Structure formats: C-alpha cells, structure tokens
Amino acid sequence: MKFVKTSLAVALLSLGSLAAAESQITLYGTVDGAVVVNKAKGADTTVSMEDGIAGGSVWGLEGTEDLGNGYSVGFLLENGFSMDSGEAGEGGKSWSKQATLSVSGGFGELAFGRMGGLASYEGSYSIWDASPIGTDYLQAGLGNVFVTGQINNNSIVYVSPEFGGLKLHVQYSNGTEADDKKWSLNDHYYGLGLTYELGNLSLAGIVERYDYKSFRDEDTKASMIYSLSASYDFEVAKVFFGYQYASRFHTVDQLEDAFVGGKGMNQNAFTLGTEIPAAGGTLKLVANYGFGKVKSADQVTFDDNKVNLNKDKFNRFTVGAAYEYLLSKRTFLYGWGAYATAGKLFKEKAVEGDFKSWSVGLGLHHNF
C-alpha cells in the first residue's frame, strides 16, 4: 500500500511538471512615479506627484500553451493604474490596456480582443518606433504634435512571419467602442503596416483609417493617417526619425472637449531624436514639429457649442531631454525637462495655455 501511495504521488508530480512545461503564466508590470514641476501659460506653477511619466503604471497576466507542431495559444490581460492614487486607469474596464487571445504558428500570429492601433504606441501590436521616448515625458511626447491613435475594442490583428527582415501587419476593429449595432452604424478602424529589420536598421510604414459611422448625420469624414519611422543604432548613439501626414483628423489631445466635424484638419508632422549611453545611463533628446490647417472651419465645436475661428492654420513645436540611470536591471531613476509651444490658431488666448507649457522633474521606474 505504501508503494502504491508513493507511485501515485510521483505520477501526480510528473503530471504537474508536464502541465507547467506546456502552459506558462507570467505576472508582470511596471510602477512609475515622479515629482513634477509644471507651468502652463497663464496658469500658476504647480508641484505635484504624477504617475506614468516614463511609461504608464500597469500590471498584467500573460500566458501561453504549447499545442505542439510549432503552434501555441496565448493570452494577454493588462490594466493601467495610477500609482499616486491607486485608481484604475480607465473606469469600467478590468483590462483597460490590452485583453487579447492569440494563436501562433508557422503562418504567423492571429490575435483578437482589445488592443492598441498600429501607430498608437500602446500594447503589443503597435509597430511605430519614431522616437526614443514615444508618448512619455509629458510635453516631449509624440501625442503633443502627432496623431497617435487609440486602443480599440473588438479588434483582430494578423502578423506575418518574417521574410528577409520584412513583416506584414494587418489590423481591423469592428467597433472601436461597441459593435452592437448594424455594421454601418459602428465606428471602425483599419490598419496596414510593414516593418523591416536589417542589422541595426529598423523601418516601419503604416496606413490607418478611422471612420465615424456614428457621426454620419454630421457628415464627419473618415480620417486617414500615414506614418513612417526609421531608427539606426550606431552603438555610440541610436538615432530616430518619424514623419506623419494626418488627413481629416477631428481632435487633438490637448483639447478634450473640442471636435472638428466635416473634413476636420490636415497636418504634416516630423520628429527627430536620439538616445546616447552616458555615465552609466541613457540620455534621450527629442524635437517634434507639426503644421496644418482646419479644413472645416465652420464645423468646430467646443463643449458642444459652435466656435467661430479667427484663423484656420496652426503649428506646434515641442522639445525635451530625459536622463535614465539604471539602479538595477529592473529599476531606473530619471530626470527630464520638456517645453511646448504653438502658433497661429493655437496661439489664441482661449487655448494657448493648453499648448504652451514646460515641465521638469525627477522620478523612479520599476519593472517586475
């Protein structure tokens, strides 16, 4: 009887080891916080504790199961939160950043769920690599000049195998918020991208379309966003470049309550940056510039009220520098300074405080 019990225990332990080998689940995340000094034009200087300066605070679960013959199934569940207050990143969502189920094999990867667009700088399937700091470090981030997209519900993405350094990326959302109406009344996202890797060179080209079916009574045209990025690692420094042409986009990050209907706005935008190893850490420098025009000046609303514009052209310019010093493989200390300004339409007194500001600060970023 003792032999039977021992054999059963060994068998159960073997089954447990086999299951662990076939299926792996990882808990991961980042925690980021900083002391920020910020000054917007026309407003008081503020000193505050902020979250997500060098990358958002998130936690997530990631798992894979090996199906054999080169195939696997995986899932990724990720939620954002505010380190300084403990609040969830987006109310009402258990997994606000990503929630995907994927199948991988010799054909590439196919995934479904909630995910960031191809040029969003959000999540696992964004492929745009135009800046050493992405959308981080407040005014220096790309979102202050570029159209950086969003996280979309009801999405499907396909990533091809690599062919001589080249990969194809295709993404579609059947309803960026909801797809409970007939197809013609849901808002959709379409993305097509190519990435190319050759030694220290990385290239990406992306075409995205956001339609506004739920706004069709207001004759709101679909947005077309064309984004390019290039980076090259010279080892002594890595250089980044990005360009974007945004046609008929309808909102800017700095004015949450503003919307331009009809043909919206057009804009050309450029970014140039570098990251340089220095004194045990990394120095990151960026400059972003964009200029454009409001195409439907008679369809601008602010707080749902019509606005009469004195100008229809605009420009935006931001610069920033950040230094990240490694305390360990998973933790770094950082400091930064960033400045943003704007001209023409965005220089108007009613909105200039949203576009003209600066910030400096110190923070700590930890990965687990």
Side-chain angles (χ1 to χ4, degrees):
M1 187 69 178
K2 183 176 180 181
F3 174 77
V4 172
K5 289 182 178 179
T6 303
S7 299
L8 180 59
V10 171
L12 289 173
L13 287 172
S14 299
L15 286 173
S17 299
L18 180 62
E22 292 179 348
S23 180
Q24 298 179 350
I25 297 177
T26 302
L27 171 66
Y28 71 92
T30 62
V31 184
D32 181 281
V35 176
V36 181
V37 180
N38 195 81
K39 174 70 168 69
K41 188 168 180 68
D44 294 333
T45 302
T46 61
V47 180
S48 60
M49 173 166 279
E50 300 289 343
D51 165 83
I53 300 298
S57 294
V58 302
W59 75 280
L61 296 170
E62 183 176 18
T64 59
E65 182 183 9
D66 187 354
L67 301 178
N69 297 319
Y71 293 92
S72 63
V73 170
F75 72 88
L76 198 153
L77 304 172
E78 186 176 284
N79 194 33
F81 64 93
S82 296
M83 185 278 298
D84 52 337
S85 66
E87 295 179 354
E90 188 171 339
K93 288 185 171 61
S94 298
W95 309 105
S96 61
K97 289 293 187 179
Q98 295 186 89
T100 61
L101 185 65
S102 63
V103 180
S104 300
F107 65 91
E109 181 176 352
L110 190 66
F112 311 82
R114 175 173 168 83
M115 63 188 72
L118 296 183
S120 67
Y121 266 90
E122 292 281 0
S124 304
Y125 299 102
S126 176
I127 59 174
W128 202 32
D129 189 22
S131 169
I133 66 171
T135 55
D136 300 329
Y137 290 109
L138 298 182
Q139 294 92 337
L142 292 173
N144 292 278
V145 171
F146 289 78
V147 179
T148 54
Q150 61 191 34
I151 304 174
N152 302 308
N153 295 334
N154 309 303
S155 295
I156 179 172
V157 64
Y158 169 70
V159 182
S160 76
E162 183 178 307
F163 300 100
L166 192 68
K167 277 189 179 182
L168 173 70
H169 306 254
V170 183
Q171 192 177 133
Y172 166 71
S173 169
N174 197 53
T176 56
E177 291 296 331
D179 62 353
D180 52 356
K181 299 177 182 179
K182 66 179 183 179
W183 186 88
S184 61
L185 294 179
N186 294 327
D187 295 334
H188 306 105
Y189 166 83
Y190 307 83
L192 177 64
L194 286 173
T195 55
Y196 180 68
E197 303 281 342
L198 179 63
N200 293 340
L201 175 67
S202 297
L203 303 173
I206 307 163
V207 179
E208 298 173 294
R209 174 187 168 96
Y210 293 88
D211 65 28
Y212 299 89
K213 300 291 185 180
S214 63
F215 290 88
R216 66 179 186 171
D217 292 338
E218 300 177 26
D219 194 31
T220 299
K221 304 299 183 184
S223 300
M224 295 294 300
I225 314 296
Y226 308 88
S227 304
L228 299 173
S229 67
S231 65
Y232 190 87
D233 191 349
F234 292 94
E235 296 184 359
V236 294
K238 187 174 182 180
V239 177
F240 297 78
F241 172 77
Y243 168 74
Q244 182 185 81
Y245 177 67
S247 174
R248 301 190 301 268
F249 70 103
H250 301 279
T251 62
V252 294
D253 289 354
Q254 294 91 334
L255 300 175
E256 294 182 359
D257 297 319
F259 186 85
V260 183
K263 296 181 179 180
M265 300 169 279
N266 290 355
Q267 177 183 260
N268 289 278
F270 304 84
T271 182
L272 185 63
T274 185
E275 56 182 33
I276 305 168
T282 304
L283 175 64
K284 299 182 177 184
L285 305 171
V286 295
N288 310 307
Y289 176 70
F291 63 93
K293 183 177 181 180
V294 179
K295 302 294 290 184
S296 295
D298 60 336
Q299 296 195 46
V300 179
T301 59
F302 192 79
D303 287 331
D304 295 323
N305 298 312
K306 283 273 186 170
V307 176
N308 294 318
L309 301 180
N310 295 321
K311 302 180 179 70
D312 59 0
K313 294 182 179 180
F314 59 86
N315 58 55
R316 297 182 275 179
F317 176 69
T318 70
V319 292
Y323 181 72
E324 299 173 353
Y325 181 77
L326 286 173
L327 299 177
S328 71
K329 290 182 178 180
R330 296 185 297 166
T331 304
F332 64 84
L333 181 70
Y334 62 88
W336 84 95
Y339 171 77
T341 188
K344 300 181 180 180
L345 172 61
F346 293 154
K347 196 177 180 179
E348 296 288 324
K349 282 193 174 295
V351 298
E352 66 176 350
D354 296 289
F355 295 93
K356 294 186 175 184
S357 62
W358 58 264
S359 68
V360 295
L362 293 171
L364 188 66
H365 185 95
H366 175 71
N367 300 296
F368 62 87

